[in-house]
Amino acid sequence: MSFLRNPLLILGINLSAIAGSTYLLREHHIYNLEEHEARMDELEGTLRGHIGVIEEALDRLEGKATEADRGKKIDEYYSKRGRDEKNR
């Protein structure tokens, strides 16, 4: 049992435990960041769709919209994504 009192062995075990836990926490953090980004993209699309609905309702109230324009702004805003605009 004297090998368990070896300082180098204890140091090695501690360092490997720290390295392993750091790696696992980093991987979990990256996963959470990707999930958060996906949720924000979905939320952004939903908000854009709602903006389209509000703008169409406003156009109808102001008398600017025709029957042919119905649904165009909703589709236009909902299909846009912020990431696609940034890449251009």
Side-chain angles (χ1 to χ4, degrees), residues 27-85:
E27 292 298 315
H28 187 64
H29 183 66
I30 290 171
Y31 173 78
N32 283 340
L33 287 175
E34 290 171 354
E35 287 290 316
H36 177 71
E37 185 176 356
R39 285 189 199 104
M40 291 299 107
D41 285 344
E42 184 177 338
L43 181 62
E44 178 188 4
T46 302
L47 288 174
R48 285 178 182 267
H50 285 95
I51 289 170
V53 169
I54 292 168
E55 285 191 4
E56 280 192 359
L58 182 62
D59 287 345
R60 281 197 310 271
L61 287 173
E62 292 175 348
K64 295 179 184 176
T66 62
E67 193 63 36
D69 294 337
R70 182 169 273 190
K72 284 186 180 179
K73 282 194 178 180
I74 295 171
D75 294 335
E76 176 187 335
Y77 282 115
Y78 189 73
S79 62
K80 275 187 182 178
R81 295 283 190 216
R83 183 178 297 166
D84 296 338
E85 293 171 2

Side-chain angles (χ1 to χ4, degrees), residues 8-37:
L8 291 178
L9 179 65
I10 294 172
L11 179 67
I13 291 172
N14 283 337
L15 289 178
S16 64
I18 291 170
S21 63
T22 302
Y23 176 77
L24 289 175
L25 285 173
R26 181 179 182 276
E27 292 298 315
H28 187 64
H29 183 66
I30 290 171
Y31 173 78
N32 283 340
L33 287 175
E34 290 171 354
E35 287 290 316
H36 177 71
E37 185 176 356

